[in-house]
Amino acid sequence: MTIVANALAATPPMGWNSWNMFGSAINEARLRATAEALVSTGLKDCGYNYLVIDDCWSVKSGRGSHGELVADPQKFPSGMPALVDFVHGLGLKIGIYSDAAELTCAGYPGSFGSEEQDAQLWASWGFDFLKYDYCHVPSDQATAIERYQRMGQALRRTGRDFLYSLCEWGGRGPHLWGRSVGGHMWRVSGDISDSWVNVWVPAYASYGIGADVSMDIAAQLDEYGGPGGWNDLDMLVVGLGGQGQITGSGMSFLEYQTHMSVWCLACSPLMIGCDIQALDVETAGLLLNREVLAVNQDPLGRPALRVKQIGPCDVWRKPLADGAMAVGLVNRGSSGMDVTLKAAELGLLDTSKLTRNLWQQTDVADFTFELTQRVQPHQTILLKIGG
Ligand code: GLA
Protein backbone atom coordinates (compact mmCIF):
# COMPACT_ATOMS: atom_id res chain seq x y z
CA MET A 1 0.00 0.00 0.00
CA THR A 2 1.30 3.45 -0.85
CA ILE A 3 0.84 5.99 1.90
CA VAL A 4 0.32 9.44 0.49
CA ALA A 5 1.33 12.01 3.06
CA ASN A 6 -1.00 14.90 3.62
CA ALA A 7 0.34 17.44 1.16
CA LEU A 8 -0.19 20.23 3.70
CA ALA A 9 2.59 18.89 5.90
CA ALA A 10 4.53 16.42 3.76
CA THR A 11 7.62 17.99 5.35
CA PRO A 12 7.76 19.90 8.67
CA PRO A 13 5.88 23.22 8.47
CA MET A 14 8.02 26.37 8.42
CA GLY A 15 7.22 30.00 9.12
CA TRP A 16 7.09 32.69 11.78
CA ASN A 17 4.90 32.97 14.90
CA SER A 18 4.21 36.18 16.83
CA TRP A 19 4.34 34.83 20.40
CA ASN A 20 7.99 34.41 21.45
CA MET A 21 8.96 37.96 20.52
CA PHE A 22 5.81 40.05 20.75
CA GLY A 23 3.30 38.27 23.01
CA SER A 24 0.19 40.45 23.20
CA ALA A 25 1.91 43.39 21.45
CA ILE A 26 0.72 42.42 17.99
CA ASN A 27 -0.90 44.70 15.44
CA GLU A 28 -1.42 44.83 11.72
CA ALA A 29 1.52 47.16 11.02
CA ARG A 30 3.92 44.83 12.79
CA LEU A 31 2.51 41.75 11.07
CA ARG A 32 2.61 43.36 7.63
CA ALA A 33 6.20 44.42 8.17
CA THR A 34 7.06 40.90 9.32
CA ALA A 35 5.41 39.41 6.23
CA GLU A 36 7.45 41.76 4.05
CA ALA A 37 10.59 40.80 5.96
CA LEU A 38 9.92 37.10 5.35
CA VAL A 39 10.20 37.93 1.66
CA SER A 40 13.01 40.52 1.68
CA THR A 41 15.35 38.50 3.92
CA GLY A 42 15.06 35.43 1.68
CA LEU A 43 13.37 33.40 4.44
CA LYS A 44 10.33 32.74 2.25
CA ASP A 45 12.57 31.43 -0.54
CA CYS A 46 14.09 29.03 1.97
CA GLY A 47 10.62 27.65 2.80
CA TYR A 48 9.41 29.77 5.75
CA ASN A 49 5.97 30.40 4.30
CA TYR A 50 3.49 30.64 7.21
CA LEU A 51 2.95 33.84 9.20
CA VAL A 52 1.08 32.79 12.35
CA ILE A 53 -0.80 35.18 14.63
CA ASP A 54 -0.72 33.74 18.15
CA ASP A 55 -2.80 34.67 21.22
CA CYS A 56 -4.31 38.14 21.92
CA TRP A 57 -5.67 39.04 18.47
CA SER A 58 -9.35 39.35 19.38
CA VAL A 59 -11.44 41.66 21.56
CA LYS A 60 -10.64 40.39 25.05
CA SER A 61 -13.92 41.26 26.74
CA GLY A 62 -16.01 38.81 24.72
CA ARG A 63 -17.68 37.86 21.46
CA GLY A 64 -19.80 40.01 19.14
CA SER A 65 -23.60 40.27 19.13
CA HIS A 66 -23.95 37.14 16.95
CA GLY A 67 -21.55 35.13 19.11
CA GLU A 68 -18.68 35.70 16.70
CA LEU A 69 -15.03 36.34 17.56
CA VAL A 70 -14.10 39.95 16.81
CA ALA A 71 -10.62 41.04 15.75
CA ASP A 72 -9.43 43.84 18.05
CA PRO A 73 -10.09 47.04 16.05
CA GLN A 74 -7.25 48.84 17.86
CA LYS A 75 -4.75 46.21 16.76
CA PHE A 76 -6.30 45.48 13.36
CA PRO A 77 -7.97 48.71 12.17
CA SER A 78 -8.16 47.48 8.57
CA GLY A 79 -9.76 44.19 9.63
CA MET A 80 -8.52 40.63 9.30
CA PRO A 81 -9.52 40.05 5.64
CA ALA A 82 -7.31 42.96 4.56
CA LEU A 83 -4.32 41.57 6.47
CA VAL A 84 -4.94 38.07 5.10
CA ASP A 85 -5.12 39.43 1.53
CA PHE A 86 -1.90 41.37 2.04
CA VAL A 87 -0.06 38.30 3.32
CA HIS A 88 -1.44 36.10 0.54
CA GLY A 89 -0.41 38.77 -1.96
CA LEU A 90 3.19 38.20 -0.91
CA GLY A 91 2.86 34.51 -1.69
CA LEU A 92 2.69 33.54 1.99
CA LYS A 93 0.10 31.67 4.05
CA ILE A 94 -1.36 32.92 7.30
CA GLY A 95 -2.33 31.32 10.60
CA ILE A 96 -4.64 32.16 13.50
CA TYR A 97 -4.87 30.97 17.11
CA SER A 98 -7.49 29.80 19.58
CA ASP A 99 -7.95 27.48 22.56
CA ALA A 100 -10.13 24.42 23.24
CA ALA A 101 -11.79 26.10 26.26
CA GLU A 102 -13.86 29.20 26.87
CA LEU A 103 -10.70 31.27 27.29
CA THR A 104 -7.27 31.23 25.68
CA CYS A 105 -4.08 31.06 27.76
CA ALA A 106 -3.92 34.86 27.88
CA GLY A 107 -7.62 35.12 28.80
CA TYR A 108 -9.17 36.01 25.42
CA PRO A 109 -12.31 34.22 24.14
CA GLY A 110 -11.61 30.57 23.27
CA SER A 111 -13.50 28.28 20.89
CA PHE A 112 -14.99 25.51 23.03
CA GLY A 113 -18.67 25.25 22.06
CA SER A 114 -18.20 27.59 19.09
CA GLU A 115 -15.94 25.40 16.96
CA GLU A 116 -18.13 25.45 13.82
CA GLN A 117 -18.79 29.17 13.96
CA ASP A 118 -15.14 30.05 14.55
CA ALA A 119 -13.80 27.72 11.88
CA GLN A 120 -16.27 29.17 9.37
CA LEU A 121 -15.21 32.70 10.30
CA TRP A 122 -11.48 31.97 9.89
CA ALA A 123 -12.20 30.22 6.58
CA SER A 124 -14.25 33.21 5.37
CA TRP A 125 -11.35 35.50 6.28
CA GLY A 126 -9.01 33.22 4.27
CA PHE A 127 -6.83 31.72 7.02
CA ASP A 128 -4.72 28.64 6.22
CA PHE A 129 -3.52 27.45 9.63
CA LEU A 130 -4.86 27.12 13.17
CA LYS A 131 -2.79 26.77 16.33
CA TYR A 132 -5.16 25.34 18.94
CA ASP A 133 -4.06 25.75 22.55
CA TYR A 134 -5.13 23.92 25.71
CA CYS A 135 -5.39 26.22 28.73
CA HIS A 136 -8.38 26.20 31.13
CA VAL A 137 -9.36 22.59 30.40
CA PRO A 138 -9.82 19.31 32.28
CA SER A 139 -6.52 17.45 32.53
CA ASP A 140 -7.52 14.02 31.17
CA GLN A 141 -6.59 12.57 27.80
CA ALA A 142 -10.10 11.57 26.62
CA THR A 143 -11.38 15.15 26.87
CA ALA A 144 -8.36 16.42 24.95
CA ILE A 145 -8.89 13.95 22.12
CA GLU A 146 -12.58 14.87 21.97
CA ARG A 147 -11.97 18.62 21.96
CA TYR A 148 -9.23 18.46 19.33
CA GLN A 149 -11.44 16.16 17.26
CA ARG A 150 -14.32 18.67 17.43
CA MET A 151 -12.17 21.45 16.05
CA GLY A 152 -10.55 19.12 13.51
CA GLN A 153 -13.99 18.26 12.17
CA ALA A 154 -15.09 21.89 12.13
CA LEU A 155 -11.99 22.84 10.12
CA ARG A 156 -12.61 20.04 7.61
CA ARG A 157 -16.26 21.09 7.22
CA THR A 158 -15.19 24.53 6.04
CA GLY A 159 -13.87 22.90 2.86
CA ARG A 160 -10.74 25.02 3.19
CA ASP A 161 -7.27 23.58 3.79
CA PHE A 162 -6.13 24.34 7.34
CA LEU A 163 -2.84 23.19 8.69
CA TYR A 164 -3.88 22.13 12.21
CA SER A 165 -1.32 22.69 14.98
CA LEU A 166 -2.13 21.07 18.34
CA CYS A 167 -0.72 22.69 21.45
CA GLU A 168 -1.44 20.65 24.58
CA TRP A 169 2.28 20.40 25.50
CA GLY A 170 2.70 16.63 25.25
CA GLY A 171 1.24 15.55 28.59
CA ARG A 172 -1.63 13.57 27.08
CA GLY A 173 0.38 11.79 24.40
CA PRO A 174 -0.63 13.79 21.30
CA HIS A 175 2.03 11.92 19.30
CA LEU A 176 -0.27 8.89 19.67
CA TRP A 177 -3.54 10.50 18.55
CA GLY A 178 -2.67 13.80 16.86
CA ARG A 179 -3.03 12.43 13.35
CA SER A 180 -6.40 10.81 14.12
CA VAL A 181 -7.95 14.19 15.03
CA GLY A 182 -6.61 15.79 11.86
CA GLY A 183 -3.47 17.33 13.43
CA HIS A 184 -0.40 18.00 11.33
CA MET A 185 1.89 18.91 14.24
CA TRP A 186 1.65 18.58 18.01
CA ARG A 187 3.66 20.25 20.73
CA VAL A 188 5.65 17.76 22.78
CA SER A 189 6.68 20.03 25.65
CA GLY A 190 5.72 23.03 27.72
CA ASP A 191 6.76 26.47 26.53
CA ILE A 192 10.32 26.91 25.45
CA SER A 193 12.65 29.38 27.17
CA ASP A 194 15.42 31.39 25.54
CA SER A 195 18.12 29.53 27.46
CA TRP A 196 20.28 26.40 27.51
CA VAL A 197 18.82 25.11 30.80
CA ASN A 198 15.25 25.13 32.12
CA VAL A 199 14.06 28.39 33.71
CA TRP A 200 11.37 28.55 36.40
CA VAL A 201 8.37 30.66 35.35
CA PRO A 202 6.41 31.72 38.46
CA ALA A 203 3.37 32.89 36.44
CA TYR A 204 2.91 29.41 34.95
CA ALA A 205 4.25 27.56 38.02
CA SER A 206 6.33 25.48 35.63
CA TYR A 207 9.67 25.46 33.87
CA GLY A 208 10.38 27.10 30.54
CA ILE A 209 12.18 24.39 28.59
CA GLY A 210 15.86 24.91 27.80
CA ALA A 211 17.49 23.75 24.57
CA ASP A 212 19.53 21.12 26.42
CA VAL A 213 16.34 19.56 27.79
CA SER A 214 14.48 19.64 24.45
CA MET A 215 17.05 17.18 23.13
CA ASP A 216 16.07 14.56 25.67
CA ILE A 217 12.38 15.07 24.85
CA ALA A 218 13.06 14.68 21.11
CA ALA A 219 15.10 11.55 21.78
CA GLN A 220 12.01 9.79 23.20
CA LEU A 221 9.74 10.48 20.24
CA ASP A 222 11.62 9.90 16.99
CA GLU A 223 9.36 7.08 15.82
CA TYR A 224 6.19 9.19 15.96
CA GLY A 225 6.95 12.06 13.57
CA GLY A 226 6.73 11.67 9.82
CA PRO A 227 5.11 12.99 6.65
CA GLY A 228 1.72 14.49 7.52
CA GLY A 229 2.29 14.73 11.30
CA TRP A 230 5.26 16.10 13.26
CA ASN A 231 6.56 16.33 16.82
CA ASP A 232 6.69 20.07 17.55
CA LEU A 233 9.54 21.15 19.86
CA ASP A 234 7.99 24.68 20.02
CA MET A 235 8.73 27.90 18.17
CA LEU A 236 12.40 28.71 17.64
CA VAL A 237 14.28 31.04 19.99
CA VAL A 238 17.17 31.62 17.57
CA GLY A 239 17.79 35.36 17.36
CA LEU A 240 15.80 36.41 20.42
CA GLY A 241 18.96 37.15 22.40
CA GLY A 242 16.94 37.49 25.59
CA GLN A 243 14.78 40.24 24.04
CA GLY A 244 11.60 38.23 23.61
CA GLN A 245 8.65 38.16 25.99
CA ILE A 246 9.27 34.51 26.96
CA THR A 247 11.64 33.61 29.79
CA GLY A 248 15.39 33.27 29.42
CA SER A 249 18.23 35.69 28.90
CA GLY A 250 19.45 34.31 25.59
CA MET A 251 22.05 31.83 24.41
CA SER A 252 25.48 31.91 22.82
CA PHE A 253 25.91 31.56 19.07
CA LEU A 254 26.95 27.91 19.40
CA GLU A 255 23.96 27.17 21.64
CA TYR A 256 21.55 28.70 19.11
CA GLN A 257 23.31 26.65 16.43
CA THR A 258 22.74 23.50 18.50
CA HIS A 259 19.07 24.42 19.07
CA MET A 260 18.59 24.86 15.30
CA SER A 261 20.51 21.65 14.55
CA VAL A 262 18.37 19.59 16.91
CA TRP A 263 15.11 21.04 15.51
CA CYS A 264 16.33 20.08 12.02
CA LEU A 265 17.47 16.58 13.01
CA ALA A 266 14.23 15.92 14.91
CA CYS A 267 12.04 17.08 11.99
CA SER A 268 10.40 19.66 14.24
CA PRO A 269 8.37 22.42 12.55
CA LEU A 270 10.57 25.50 12.16
CA MET A 271 8.50 28.47 13.30
CA ILE A 272 10.78 31.46 13.81
CA GLY A 273 10.14 33.41 17.01
CA CYS A 274 12.46 36.42 16.74
CA ASP A 275 11.93 39.84 15.19
CA ILE A 276 12.93 39.26 11.58
CA GLN A 277 12.63 42.97 10.77
CA ALA A 278 15.96 43.29 12.57
CA LEU A 279 17.68 40.12 11.49
CA ASP A 280 21.40 40.18 12.39
CA VAL A 281 24.02 38.41 10.32
CA GLU A 282 24.59 35.56 12.78
CA THR A 283 20.87 34.82 13.08
CA ALA A 284 20.41 34.99 9.31
CA GLY A 285 23.23 32.47 8.97
CA LEU A 286 21.47 30.09 11.33
CA LEU A 287 18.02 30.43 9.74
CA LEU A 288 19.00 30.55 6.07
CA ASN A 289 21.55 27.74 5.69
CA ARG A 290 19.96 25.70 2.90
CA GLU A 291 22.08 22.59 3.50
CA VAL A 292 20.98 22.49 7.14
CA LEU A 293 17.34 23.19 6.24
CA ALA A 294 17.47 20.32 3.74
CA VAL A 295 17.98 17.95 6.68
CA ASN A 296 14.74 19.19 8.26
CA GLN A 297 12.86 19.20 4.97
CA ASP A 298 14.19 15.91 3.63
CA PRO A 299 11.30 14.14 1.83
CA LEU A 300 11.88 10.85 3.65
CA GLY A 301 10.68 12.65 6.80
CA ARG A 302 12.45 10.43 9.34
CA PRO A 303 13.25 12.16 12.65
CA ALA A 304 16.79 11.44 13.82
CA LEU A 305 17.54 8.70 16.31
CA ARG A 306 19.99 9.37 19.13
CA VAL A 307 22.27 6.39 18.59
CA LYS A 308 25.01 6.92 21.09
CA GLN A 309 26.30 9.05 23.93
CA ILE A 310 30.09 9.41 24.15
CA GLY A 311 30.69 11.13 27.46
CA PRO A 312 28.73 14.37 27.30
CA CYS A 313 28.46 14.16 23.51
CA ASP A 314 25.26 12.87 21.87
CA VAL A 315 25.40 11.30 18.40
CA TRP A 316 22.26 11.55 16.25
CA ARG A 317 21.66 9.76 12.97
CA LYS A 318 19.02 10.65 10.37
CA PRO A 319 18.60 8.72 7.12
CA LEU A 320 17.94 10.90 4.09
CA ALA A 321 15.95 10.28 0.93
CA ASP A 322 19.03 10.23 -1.33
CA GLY A 323 20.59 7.37 0.61
CA ALA A 324 22.91 9.66 2.57
CA MET A 325 22.86 10.09 6.33
CA ALA A 326 22.82 13.24 8.42
CA VAL A 327 24.78 12.91 11.65
CA GLY A 328 24.74 15.36 14.53
CA LEU A 329 27.49 15.50 17.17
CA VAL A 330 26.21 17.55 20.11
CA ASN A 331 28.61 18.42 22.90
CA ARG A 332 26.49 19.07 25.99
CA GLY A 333 29.52 19.29 28.27
CA SER A 334 31.61 22.25 29.35
CA SER A 335 34.89 21.46 27.58
CA GLY A 336 35.80 20.78 23.97
CA MET A 337 36.27 17.16 22.95
CA ASP A 338 37.34 15.01 20.02
CA VAL A 339 34.59 12.64 18.99
CA THR A 340 35.40 9.61 16.88
CA LEU A 341 32.62 8.16 14.75
CA LYS A 342 32.93 4.56 13.57
CA ALA A 343 31.19 3.53 10.35
CA ALA A 344 29.90 0.28 11.84
CA GLU A 345 28.28 2.08 14.80
CA LEU A 346 26.37 4.29 12.41
CA GLY A 347 25.21 1.32 10.34
CA LEU A 348 27.43 2.37 7.42
CA LEU A 349 29.41 0.04 5.17
CA ASP A 350 33.20 0.40 5.23
CA THR A 351 33.32 2.08 1.85
CA SER A 352 34.57 5.56 1.18
CA LYS A 353 31.87 8.22 1.56
CA LEU A 354 32.19 11.92 0.98
CA THR A 355 31.41 13.76 4.21
CA ARG A 356 30.23 17.33 4.33
CA ASN A 357 30.07 19.79 7.24
CA LEU A 358 26.62 21.34 6.70
CA TRP A 359 27.02 24.45 8.86
CA GLN A 360 30.28 25.32 7.15
CA GLN A 361 29.13 23.99 3.76
CA THR A 362 32.54 22.42 3.21
CA ASP A 363 33.70 18.90 2.40
CA VAL A 364 35.45 17.37 5.39
CA ALA A 365 37.00 14.11 4.27
CA ASP A 366 36.19 10.73 2.84
CA PHE A 367 34.78 8.70 5.70
CA THR A 368 35.69 5.02 5.44
CA PHE A 369 36.20 3.34 8.83
CA GLU A 370 36.23 6.23 11.24
CA LEU A 371 36.20 9.99 11.44
CA THR A 372 37.23 12.29 14.29
CA GLN A 373 35.74 15.72 14.82
CA ARG A 374 36.51 18.38 17.44
CA VAL A 375 33.30 19.64 19.06
CA GLN A 376 33.33 22.76 21.24
CA PRO A 377 31.17 23.03 24.41
CA HIS A 378 27.49 23.29 23.46
CA GLN A 379 28.36 23.13 19.76
CA THR A 380 26.78 20.80 17.21
CA ILE A 381 28.72 19.52 14.23
CA LEU A 382 26.22 18.55 11.56
CA LEU A 383 27.52 16.18 8.90
CA LYS A 384 26.09 14.69 5.75
CA ILE A 385 27.74 11.37 4.99
CA GLY A 386 27.49 9.87 1.52
CA GLY A 387 24.63 10.36 -0.92
C1 GLA B 1 0.62 28.77 25.57
C2 GLA B 1 1.35 28.22 24.35
C3 GLA B 1 2.29 29.27 23.79
C4 GLA B 1 1.50 30.52 23.43
C5 GLA B 1 0.75 31.03 24.65
C6 GLA B 1 -0.20 32.16 24.30
O1 GLA B 1 1.49 29.00 26.62
O2 GLA B 1 2.06 27.05 24.68
O3 GLA B 1 2.97 28.77 22.66
O4 GLA B 1 0.59 30.21 22.39
O5 GLA B 1 -0.04 29.99 25.22
O6 GLA B 1 -0.90 32.62 25.42
Side-chain angles (χ1 to χ4, degrees), residues 17 19-20 54-56 97 104-106 131 133 135 167 169 187 189-191 204 234-235:
N17 173 298
W19 184 254
N20 284 357
D54 208 282
D55 206 347
C56 310
Y97 164 99
T104 70
C105 293
K131 173 175 170 181
D133 217 337
C135 280
C167 182
W169 317 297
R187 281 275 295 278
S189 73
D191 288 5
Y204 292 165
D234 203 350
M235 288 91 71

Side-chain angles (χ1 to χ4, degrees), residues 196 252 254-255 257-258 330-334 376-380:
W196 182 253
S252 71
L254 290 183
E255 289 168 343
Q257 189 191 57
T258 286
V330 189
N331 183 353
R332 302 169 71 174
S334 49
Q376 299 304 331
H378 298 185
Q379 183 185 20
T380 294

Side-chain angles (χ1 to χ4, degrees), residues 239-240 253 274-286 288:
L240 283 175
F253 174 75
C274 68
D275 182 1
I276 57 168
Q277 296 167 77
L279 201 59
D280 59 73
V281 175
E282 282 193 347
T283 303
L286 293 175
L288 288 155

Side-chain angles (χ1 to χ4, degrees), residues 196 211-212 215 251-262 265 286 310 312-316 327-339 357-360 362 373-383:
W196 182 253
D212 189 47
M215 287 180 230
M251 288 194 273
S252 71
F253 174 75
L254 290 183
E255 289 168 343
Y256 281 131
Q257 189 191 57
T258 286
H259 159 57
M260 188 71 189
S261 304
V262 170
L265 286 164
L286 293 175
I310 306 171
C313 192
D314 290 1
V315 180
W316 296 75
V327 171
L329 310 177
V330 189
N331 183 353
R332 302 169 71 174
S334 49
S335 34
M337 65 184 284
D338 291 321
V339 178
N357 180 316
L358 299 181
W359 280 116
Q360 288 177 2
T362 53
Q373 295 281 287
R374 181 85 186 159
V375 197
Q376 299 304 331
H378 298 185
Q379 183 185 20
T380 294
I381 305 270
L382 206 50
L383 303 170

